[in-house]
Amino acid sequence: MATSDYYDSEEELDLSEDDLEFDLQDLHITSQDSEIEFLFKSLTSDVLWISIVEKADHVAAFIGMTRDECLVLLQHYDWREDKVLDDFLSLGDEIKVSKGLALSSKLRHSLPLHSLSRICAICCEQVDQMFHLEQCSHEYCVKCYTRYLSDKLRQQDSLVLCMEPSCSISVSLQDLKALDSNFPGKDHKPLYDIMISNIAKNYVESNPKLKWCPAPDCTGIVQFDGFSTYEIGTLKEYLDSHNLPIVTCPYSHSFCFACSYEDHDPIPCNIAKNWIRKSKDDSETANWIDINTKQCPKCDAVIEKNGGCNHMTCKKCAYQFCWICLQDWPLHGTAYYNCSRYDASAIKEMHQKQQTTKQSLKRYLHYYKFYISHELSAHQDNDLFRSIESRVQEMQQDLGISWIDCQFYRTAMKLLIKSRKVLKWSYALLYYCEVNNYVYIVETNQSFLSNSIEDLSHLFQLTDPKCIVRERLQFINLSNSMKKREAALVEIIHEGLKNQHLKVT
Amino acid sequence: MSFKGKRLAKEYKDLVSNQVPGITCEATDSFDTLVIQVSVLDNPLYIDDSYRLRFIFSDKYPFSPPQVQFIDKIPIHPHIYSNGHICLNILGNDWTPSQTVASISMSVQSMLASNNLNQRPPDDDNYVKHAPENPQHSSFYYHDDTV
């Protein structure tokens, strides 16, 4: 996998993992064909902008226009240079008119003269400074033009036209620079910068090989560069052969390139997606209400029966009814506590149905509990990770240890976060799997990994640099054994999915 | 006077002084709403009628479009829903602050004038049932730009 930097810890220590090996051998798991790499490059938005400009310059050199003009043209043609050139060859300079870069000669003659009145048609104020785009002369005051453009740019438009409804001239980067120069203050976010990020956004969205990092506020981009072997040509083939394109953005957020969700190795995108949807919406709450409560037949108050007999008295309206058949209680006569007013089989059926829903809910909650607790711990680990820098520095300074000798601490934390992720997702997977012996094997491996994680996590409770350094070997040992158990779990799940030992329902 | 007030005062003055055939502005004492009477002279579908077009201006006007809809009698047109909402691009995404009450009224008028289909939009029933109060909160699917 391309995220190999997780696996480069210094020492390989042999640890007891005999029971684990045993499971693997029993299943004849081989890993010879799971090594197809998904190649990618991580780009920052600055690097991306350089390649966008290069592209525009390339076209500009061919058709003799400016870079700004080519940026507009390329957006009109979904960034396909060949299409721009084709149209340029057939249309010539007419292409400028049709894509809002120049006015047709007819329109040019009907342009209004620079008005002397200096009254802006938008705000109807007398103003000192009017503004118009370089290519047309529809004048409005600087303030109104800026407000119009910042509204438009905030909607992430990258092709914005002149304010005059009949005018089709595009606003260029030059125009924005000219406008920005009127607001030198710090509280003005330059329109030029917003436009650049909008153009970049347009570029990334029109190119299936590029993806934004989905982490909040992250501006990193990942570029897909093919596979390590020619046997696989498309992303779909790659996914179908049970691989996951996990990538890392320049700010080290890892995510899945196929579904743009966080790294959900080892489980497939569709299961991860279902799980996320399920755990996000509160349909399960509704399910619970459905199973555990009924409404009072008179006043519709929601009632949860938490014990006692079936003779209910509504707290709200004092209506007396039977919990089972929801009928008036006096109708039951002497058959206290036992409703026999209905066909027994119908009731049994209803009970059974309720029971299965109850069981599936229980099952869900069981896995969800594990999933969410590891997710929460992962958040805490992340916070801890942020404070690690200072701890590592402390260790270096106070104890005079070299940078490289402190790496074990950072590496262990990285591995811990990764393992938690794998474990968390494996719980989500099991919810969707039919219960069989293979699931039992996965569960056994889960508990191995879980134990390792807890041990290492416990070690991270140490705060004194001296203690940490003293326990260095322990850190390395535990993280290595955890790493191996994680790899075993991943492999078992991959194999299980591939050979359909794990049956996803 | 505020931004919006000044601009609307000017628009109102222009509407009253520069009469466009078929577009009349009803007298008003507030600049939050304005009613324009639109009539179409050369289309047999609408010939004897005059329709009332109501404009509601938010404080962001003219940087956000006014809320525009027909009231009372609703003309039959493939882009006009029976609750009076109009599906017109310049009232949504393509709004620019240099559009005016007059320019919108003329757009609507020409929309009516060029129509020869005596029908409502294809999803009228469904839309009217679920439509929000303010037509700007609808995301219109522009069925067809030719009409």
Side-chain angles (χ1 to χ4, degrees), chain A residues 273-288:
Chain A
K273 212 155 125 199
N274 281 344
W275 178 263
I276 293 159
R277 203 182 303 138
K278 195 174 175 70
S279 56
K280 260 198 192 141
D281 74 10
D282 52 6
S283 67
E284 291 306 320
T285 318
N287 248 347
W288 186 89

Side-chain angles (χ1 to χ4, degrees), chain A residues 43-45 48-49 51-52 75 78-79 196-213 219-223 257 260:
Chain A
L43 313 168
T44 60
S45 50
L48 180 79
W49 183 247
S51 64
I52 293 176
Q75 289 183 73
D78 282 336
W79 298 92
I196 280 186
S197 70
N198 287 0
I199 293 177
K201 198 160 191 288
N202 180 298
Y203 180 70
V204 171
E205 266 149 30
S206 70
N207 189 338
K209 287 192 169 179
L210 294 172
K211 284 239 166 101
W212 292 105
C213 169
T219 54
I221 299 119
V222 168
Q223 180 180 340
F257 193 84
S260 280

Side-chain angles (χ1 to χ4, degrees), chain A residues 195-380:
Chain A
M195 181 60 126
I196 280 186
S197 70
N198 287 0
I199 293 177
K201 198 160 191 288
N202 180 298
Y203 180 70
V204 171
E205 266 149 30
S206 70
N207 189 338
K209 287 192 169 179
L210 294 172
K211 284 239 166 101
W212 292 105
C213 169
D217 296 328
C218 181
T219 54
I221 299 119
V222 168
Q223 180 180 340
F224 161 51
D225 268 346
F227 301 97
S228 57
T229 156
Y230 290 109
E231 284 161 33
I232 282 190
T234 64
L235 189 58
K236 196 178 171 299
E237 278 171 39
Y238 187 70
L239 292 169
D240 286 347
S241 54
H242 297 279
N243 289 297
L244 278 179
I246 302 300
V247 295
T248 315
C249 87
Y251 307 100
S252 22
H253 304 117
S254 61
F255 64 98
C256 169
F257 193 84
C259 67
S260 280
Y261 198 72
E262 65 157 67
D263 175 3
H264 55 75
D265 194 31
I267 78 171
C269 298
N270 58 341
I271 297 182
K273 212 155 125 199
N274 281 344
W275 178 263
I276 293 159
R277 203 182 303 138
K278 195 174 175 70
S279 56
K280 260 198 192 141
D281 74 10
D282 52 6
S283 67
E284 291 306 320
T285 318
N287 248 347
W288 186 89
I289 291 174
D290 215 39
I291 297 161
N292 296 289
T293 70
K294 287 182 182 173
Q295 290 179 342
C296 166
K298 260 249 167 83
C299 70
D300 289 339
V302 179
I303 299 166
E304 180 195 356
K305 180 167 146 55
N306 53 8
C309 71
N310 290 322
H311 179 177
M312 308 298 288
T313 308
C314 177
K315 252 190 184 165
K316 214 169 146 195
C317 68
Y319 176 65
Q320 298 191 21
F321 64 98
C322 165
W323 180 254
I324 295 173
C325 64
L326 297 177
Q327 299 274 330
D328 223 5
W329 184 256
L331 292 176
H332 285 70
T334 52
Y336 291 113
Y337 310 127
N338 217 341
C339 178
S340 53
R341 288 183 54 78
Y342 274 126
D343 181 8
S345 67
I347 291 176
K348 206 172 159 192
E349 202 174 288
M350 194 179 82
H351 266 293
Q352 224 156 32
K353 202 180 146 203
Q354 221 173 32
Q355 217 57 39
T356 41
T357 342
K358 214 170 195 166
Q359 220 141 48
S360 115
L361 179 67
K362 220 169 156 185
R363 205 171 119 83
Y364 168 73
L365 288 175
H366 168 80
Y367 289 118
Y368 185 71
K369 200 175 72 197
F370 283 104
Y371 171 87
I372 201 72
S373 65
H374 281 286
E375 174 149 303
L376 290 176
S377 308
H379 278 301
Q380 286 157 2

